[in-house]
Amino acid sequence: MSMSKAATARVARRIATAAAYGGGGIGLVGGAAVGLLFTEVAIAKRRVGGSDDVPPVADGLYGAAYARYGMVPHAHGRPPARPLLLAVLGDSTAAGQGVHRPRQTPGALLASALAAVAERPVELRNVALPGAQSDDLERQVTMLLSERDGAYPPDVCVIMIGANDVTHRMPPARSVRLLSDAVARLRTAGCEVVVGTCPDLGTIEPVTQPLRWIARRMSRQLAAAQTIAVVEEGGRTVSLGDLLGPEFLANPRELFGPDRYHPSAEGYATAAMAILPTMCAALGLWPTEDERPDATRREGILPVARAAAEAAAEGGTEVTSVRGPWALLKHRRRRRLPPAEEREPASHADAAR
């Protein structure tokens, strides 16, 4: 492991440990850099357009064509399958801010793809809030679980959070503790949990050095700490930072939306393709032979902190618990998403056309 990854692993473990024991003051950069950082942030804010657009509502039933199979009892007298319930929590990226059609949001992309893989209808419920920080996750989880009171809980929850924690200077240990608490509640309720960790804020196009370097470092260290905490609570993580980083830098006009901050439809599709295999694996829908580490793809069973640092440095990397202090590092092959016409919720299909 390179020195930079080793340093990321050490810092991430310190943050995760502080989060577990109630600490909140561990910083990600030295005090001398703080003044310069916030000066650059102020300049970047004037350059980045931002967006107050309300994300399109994509909640509804996907894969409705598979519903007819649910009307036929399964073999051996088992009851017909109900729709899978996918919940999405987090910030503006989870909500799909920056696009204008329901089918372009990450929730719709994941719901339609999951329906195709499972050959089963999928109900999408998105409670993400633009501008949310990790301290809003408690409200989102409570809303989600209270809605399901007396009914089955979500089968899988996808959380995308962290960028606003960095930009609003939330102490990283507190950020990680809040995420860990949310994952623990969802796991206790019986949900599988997949977290898309903090994106690489150094990829925002108008951001210049030295803020770009500082933002990248802060983002990766928080992403690694998030990974440790989530895996220790029984969830899985997928690194989004480096996955989107080089692609955003190389194709800013294609992968950033009009506000030059949030992803475009193509950017959200890139993130969804990275999360989909992990989400399917969590639900037991991925081939079992793919669960074994493949050394030729640089996969393996590593100490959790090391796996977290490796994942933070390479996007699209999954980390999941194996046993004790060990985690499985996977580079899953991405699957193509369904055509656009299959990505409309049944309840909104007519209105969105």
Side-chain angles (χ1 to χ4, degrees), residues 9 32 53 106-107 130 160 162 176 182 192-193 199 204 221 262 265 270 278 289 297 306 327 329 345 352:
D53 291 345
M160 301 169 74
V176 171
E192 297 292 339
V193 180
I204 300 172
Q221 290 179 345
H262 294 98
T270 300
T278 298
E289 59 269 20
R297 293 173 58 81
R306 179 179 170 186
L329 186 80

Side-chain angles (χ1 to χ4, degrees), residues 78-104:
R78 288 181 293 168
R82 60 166 175 77
L84 290 169
L85 178 57
L86 164 63
V88 178
L89 307 87
D91 55 21
S92 56
T93 302
Q97 191 162 13
V99 295
H100 301 289
R101 295 179 181 273
R103 68 188 184 197
Q104 297 171 327

Side-chain angles (χ1 to χ4, degrees), residues 200-259:
D200 185 351
L201 296 178
T203 62
I204 300 172
E205 189 188 12
V207 174
T208 60
Q209 298 290 12
L211 177 58
R212 184 183 297 278
W213 178 85
I214 295 172
R216 173 164 290 119
R217 181 184 176 196
M218 294 172 71
S219 302
R220 288 187 178 183
Q221 290 179 345
L222 179 58
Q226 288 177 321
T227 295
I228 294 172
V230 170
V231 166
E232 290 181 345
E233 291 294 346
R236 303 183 186 221
T237 63
V238 178
S239 170
L240 298 181
D242 194 58
L243 169 75
L244 299 179
E247 297 184 42
F248 273 27
L249 286 172
N251 304 289
R253 295 293 181 264
E254 294 178 14
L255 292 176
F256 277 124
D259 65 7

Side-chain angles (χ1 to χ4, degrees), residues 280-295:
C280 291
L283 293 170
L285 299 173
W286 219 244
T288 55
E289 59 269 20
D290 195 46
E291 295 306 301
R292 293 188 292 270
D294 183 347

Side-chain angles (χ1 to χ4, degrees), residues 168-193:
H168 289 77
R169 295 179 287 170
M170 178 180 289
R174 180 168 182 257
S175 169
V176 171
R177 183 172 67 253
L178 291 164
L179 174 60
S180 177
D181 290 346
V183 173
R185 287 183 66 191
L186 292 169
R187 294 291 293 146
T188 299
C191 311
E192 297 292 339
V193 180

